[in-house]
Amino acid sequence: MDHLDFSSAYADLALDARDLASRASGNQSIPGVDASEQDENGIKITVIDITSDEGAKAMGKLPGHYVTVEVPALRQKDSDLQDRVATKLAQEFELFLQKLGISKTAKVLIIGLGNWNVTPDALGPIVVENVMVTRHYFELMPDQVSAGYRAVSAIAPGVLGTTGIESSEIVQGIVEKSRPDLVIAIDALASRSLERVNTTIQIADTGIHPGSGIGNKRKGLTKETLGVPVIAIGVPTVVYASTIVNSVIDMMHKHFKQQTANTGQILGMLDQLQDSERLELVKEVLNPVGHDLLVTPKEIDQFIEDIGNIIASGLNAALHEAIDVDNVAAYTH
Amino acid sequence: MDHLDFSSAYADLALDARDLASRASGNQSIPGVDASEQDENGIKITVIDITSDEGAKAMGKLPGHYVTVEVPALRQKDSDLQDRVATKLAQEFELFLQKLGISKTAKVLIIGLGNWNVTPDALGPIVVENVMVTRHYFELMPDQVSAGYRAVSAIAPGVLGTTGIESSEIVQGIVEKSRPDLVIAIDALASRSLERVNTTIQIADTGIHPGSGIGNKRKGLTKETLGVPVIAIGVPTVVYASTIVNSVIDMMHKHFKQQTANTGQILGMLDQLQDSERLELVKEVLNPVGHDLLVTPKEIDQFIEDIGNIIASGLNAALHEAIDVDNVAAYTH
Amino acid sequence: MDHLDFSSAYADLALDARDLASRASGNQSIPGVDASEQDENGIKITVIDITSDEGAKAMGKLPGHYVTVEVPALRQKDSDLQDRVATKLAQEFELFLQKLGISKTAKVLIIGLGNWNVTPDALGPIVVENVMVTRHYFELMPDQVSAGYRAVSAIAPGVLGTTGIESSEIVQGIVEKSRPDLVIAIDALASRSLERVNTTIQIADTGIHPGSGIGNKRKGLTKETLGVPVIAIGVPTVVYASTIVNSVIDMMHKHFKQQTANTGQILGMLDQLQDSERLELVKEVLNPVGHDLLVTPKEIDQFIEDIGNIIASGLNAALHEAIDVDNVAAYTH
Amino acid sequence: MDHLDFSSAYADLALDARDLASRASGNQSIPGVDASEQDENGIKITVIDITSDEGAKAMGKLPGHYVTVEVPALRQKDSDLQDRVATKLAQEFELFLQKLGISKTAKVLIIGLGNWNVTPDALGPIVVENVMVTRHYFELMPDQVSAGYRAVSAIAPGVLGTTGIESSEIVQGIVEKSRPDLVIAIDALASRSLERVNTTIQIADTGIHPGSGIGNKRKGLTKETLGVPVIAIGVPTVVYASTIVNSVIDMMHKHFKQQTANTGQILGMLDQLQDSERLELVKEVLNPVGHDLLVTPKEIDQFIEDIGNIIASGLNAALHEAIDVDNVAAYTH
């Protein structure tokens, strides 16, 4: 989430993109986009497949397989819920690997993107610290490794501002030397909507793409650059002040609509603008005075630790058959 | 800033209160309130004295002496500016002590309120870690203490949620045993306006007051409860989502006013509401869905460390004559 | 374990004292000292009661009840063993409370002595961070507290060097304000023998006593100073270089005795010296060159975290009937 | 210093090796080894050049250039001394680069070996956190970089136990992608003598070599493996219990020699053994009971932070002409 590193980090969740695209299409289904939802005890799973260029264009997202786990109650410290989310995540991640045709012995390298000195950006490094690493046993004493495990390695490469080297270059070097069959990259994201901050985990098979801008010399973490499939796991942990304002005006619109036909009287021109136009307007006001800050909830320290543990537990259970989803939490820190 | 601890922590800065009161009075001077400003190289000092009950009522603040140091550029990491702010703070704090008639040998106890596990609430504990502590030398080897120092002690008492004891009870107990002549309490605050988050330091001689609500059994940190004067140093580090929205609508109003006479057309009814009414409206929309979060800028880790060092350096130079404001930074961590 | 704070921290474990006294008495039982041992799956419990002044003199310890939990394998990272130790500790601590006649509703204040910036001295603060705190629920909403809990509060008062105030003064002030029925003080200790570092937990009902030396103005944490019973929980985490050398010479003596009658030939005069004389000799050599360092095992970070969790889990289960010793670990961090 | 990672980390300092070799040769000069010493205000610089295979064999070290900075007072917290050591280190490091023929624009990659979760092993990661990183400016905006700087990058690759990948493989991958002209590797070492723990910094041009044992599949960080020169900076931060005992017996020997001709009477056979034989004897006693622990001084947290800052400051000043050795400390954290 380093500003110079991955401007794509600020890209929409597929879920945000779908919401936008639905609204634009008047809530009709979008050609080339398959979506299904399931809600289980406060954990909502949305699977979105973008299967054609048409769908990709409508969504503003790359073709691919996107799974989102939404848990509105995740912001509250509830360890039972957290265990359930870890278990659900493990199941979804196993299905995800199956769908991609990743074998049970495929060697995995987990990359924790982000900066451990910046709490809302420390998700990747925290997952790396808590994930079970096994590759060295396979290398040094292969005949002593129990059945039901695979070779997993993990590294947090830091950010451009602290290493002086693009994360993608570091990862490429490590992939070439350590030869995994699959890369899983964890990153904190910026959210398009207030309610998804710290409540949502997205899994996607599209890798991680740098933005354009400065980054024309820069490379992402994708099958093209690394030579192996790249699964990205992202959690929105920050939101722009402008996004908050825009979200809230939208919430006001919905709120007043239940009370009056004439919401325009209350919200003026703000009521008629398209979502993206209104956002531009808010940015136009905030940017010149330097106040379009990226913000994060006050409880971010606790949240990042909790969600980091959930993802690490989920990965441990999904990656190793010997680890049961029932006692998944025991294998993390 | 613990929710159960000091609801007053969410009180206005005197500066915010003055802005509100000025607006309400049509920018006329407020009887019983003296205010003066001075701006020096990007550091703005505002001194507000509330001298009568009338003034207190108009401001919604206790009578007292309030000094605010505002540094809009403080959010940028600029170590030269930080040194200048520490120096300025030391000078203002010395003047503050003089005005209160605190002698140069008065014994001082510094209380760092807040929770060190919650980054935006860790200001108090960080100041305590970086301040120069000398009381034990005066107690154990009084004849060996150099001239130009006074007895300073410091403690971070934790928050109700982690100790099970009111901070005010802990501080009372320590004051009774260690007998300081003055208490200085450091706390992180919630801001009434986006632009003051992480840019403003307030010094006040009114102590720290708990809110009403739950807290009817609860006591503050004041001359009445502790028996010695209490100076409060506060920095706004968090802001409610509703406050951001309200601030921005106000900024939009000012922005469009430069372009059109009819800002009501653009902002609808939002344009005509009083500031406090509009804030209530926003809260009414956000609260039911649990989204009126307290948020903090993404860079809070760095900021809390920087501002904690500035305050510790400023206090070291102001409290000990032997420490020169010129090399104030050398005495902190 | 702060040098100015509690020189008694360097006092012997009752176990070390018993070993010395036994050796001095030619392994005969010591009048006024009752001792019993039990070993269960690698966890050795020794209960020592010093019941008379004669026993106290022979042991060089105050009369009192001492329970020691020794787990040689505790230095290895083994989470099953750690759970078993927490469970055993909870059982022993419950028996300890019964023996002292502490009721199941007695209010408890847990004091975490030591310095959180010095890893081997951070045991007390870590226990405080991980213990379940409930007193504020009893104070603020007494009718909503479930059965099976008691009021527990906890604070880490810091050390003299960082607060400028004696820990004992801070604790006295807090006890007077918060009125617990029992104080439990946790502290890291220096060990008299290499093998007990990071493997041993001692519970004693004698409180914590400052040394003589500088501390003539200083007070301990005892029933006399606080007005309520004080249970001390201590873990040796550091050892003097001189102690290591002395231990090893003793181990050499035992080692060579199995091979030859004439160990004096190998170890010279070192072989004939009393334990304490030999220690003095080693100190005499090391002190002038400043090398009688206090050292701690390289893995201290992990150990302090593990043992802190064990003690917090054990206390949670022992103090609250509603918390079952079987799932004791779930209530800590 | 990870056990599986670099058993060579436990290799002697050149200084230790020289002491041993001198003693063996009866203090005569060693052929193929040039050594010179200089002492300046408590900072002792020893330059050792091993110029022939004969010298290498006598020393048990690779041919190469070794510079050691010894500062016995470094264990005391003295910030003036620390500044002087940083300045001296910068000067010595500049000379070192000159002697190796490294140009002033050579691109440098700094590798911080070790584990940031193990305090005595965290030296490398701490240096990396505090060093000035500039490579990305040269890559992204080369025409805007001021004169007097060179391209520096830095990374802490973790240890085998936490990443599952050999540090050497990770570094090789990064070197191939980022193409530095020089690698500087920082590591914590085990000491052969108690008095050098936390007082000594060694610079060597020999790179870092893995041990034999398990490591037969393993590679070091050397010119051979990386294709560019490798300078190793090492600081002994831990010492074996057996080493402490052996050191102290040697100190006893010297101590008693001043008092009596017959030290054998006091120390028995210990007095006649060769240093290495005596060490074996001590290990023989300690190992079977698992007590030959690696230990570190109790104050290791503070020390690691101080020495990490000294090395980072020294490197900043030595690597960038624009950074003056006089104000070297300003550029670190």
Side-chain angles (χ1 to χ4, degrees), chain C residues 1-13 61 113 121 159-160 166-168 187-192 208-221 238 240 294, chain D residues 298:
Chain C
M1 215 171 56
D2 184 48
H3 280 265
L4 287 169
D5 240 1
F6 288 103
S7 47
S8 78
Y10 305 117
D12 299 342
L13 294 174
K61 304 287 296 173
L113 296 168
D121 197 22
V159 293
L160 182 60
E166 295 281 355
S167 304
S168 57
D187 201 8
L189 309 175
S191 179
R192 279 288 292 244
I208 287 186
H209 295 265
S212 43
I214 304 171
N216 53 347
K217 290 184 188 169
R218 315 177 68 196
K219 302 183 204 118
L221 298 181
V238 293
Y240 279 102
L294 271 170
Chain D
K298 169 175 176 272

Side-chain angles (χ1 to χ4, degrees), chain C residues 1 75 117 119-120 195 251 255-256 265-270 281 284 289 291 294-298 301, chain D residues 1 75 117 119-120 195 248 251 255-256 265-270 281 284 289 291 294-298 301:
Chain C
M1 215 171 56
R75 280 187 204 144
N117 294 317
T119 304
E195 71 259 32
M251 291 166 78
H255 180 82
F256 293 123
Q265 194 181 358
I266 300 172
L267 297 169
M269 201 182 75
L270 298 177
L281 190 77
E284 196 185 309
V289 284
H291 291 327
L294 271 170
V295 298
T296 191
K298 168 175 177 273
D301 303 82
Chain D
M1 211 172 58
R75 280 186 204 146
N117 294 317
T119 305
E195 72 259 34
V248 171
M251 290 166 78
H255 180 82
F256 293 122
Q265 195 180 357
I266 300 172
L267 297 170
M269 201 184 76
L270 297 177
L281 191 77
E284 195 185 310
V289 284
H291 291 326
L294 271 170
V295 298
T296 190
K298 169 175 176 272
D301 302 82

Side-chain angles (χ1 to χ4, degrees), chain D residues 129 191 207:
Chain D
E129 277 228 348
S191 179

